[in-house]
Amino acid sequence: DREGPLRDLLHSEIVRWRSALRRTVSQAVEAGHLRADVDADQLVGEVHSLILGTVHDTRFLRDARAVARARASWRRLLASYLP
């Protein structure tokens, strides 16, 4: 949360990554792989949160089951967006 070049770089990379993910979600909606009413920003936020939580639990907490739980969470999340 401190201003400076490192924060600026990290911020721009995260924004770029989330933009790419948002485009991917939009393309999946257009192709009929996801429901037409999907809120791309919501899904991007949920995916980002899932990733951050997994990194936290695997790296900081050293939880050996974190990846398995993340996969289960992803399956449930994805199922809620399928047509």
Side-chain angles (χ1 to χ4, degrees):
D1 64 341
R2 292 185 214 164
E3 297 299 321
L6 181 59
R7 184 199 183 280
D8 294 344
L9 176 64
L10 183 58
H11 179 271
S12 69
E13 290 302 307
I14 290 171
V15 167
R16 190 168 66 91
W17 180 81
R18 288 176 70 133
S19 259
L21 187 54
R22 193 174 300 105
R23 276 192 310 276
T24 301
V25 169
S26 295
Q27 290 169 347
V29 169
E30 289 170 11
H33 300 299
L34 297 175
R35 289 191 342 246
D37 65 342
V38 167
D39 179 341
D41 289 321
Q42 179 67 33
L43 179 52
V44 167
E46 290 171 334
V47 168
H48 189 77
S49 296
L50 184 58
I51 291 168
L52 289 179
T54 303
V55 169
H56 175 272
D57 289 0
T58 56
R59 299 294 303 251
F60 182 69
L61 298 179
R62 295 192 173 112
D63 182 348
R65 299 221 359 99
V67 172
R69 278 195 301 282
R71 284 185 181 132
S73 294
W74 169 245
R75 283 190 296 272
R76 267 193 319 278
L77 178 63
L78 181 59
S80 75
Y81 284 102
L82 294 177

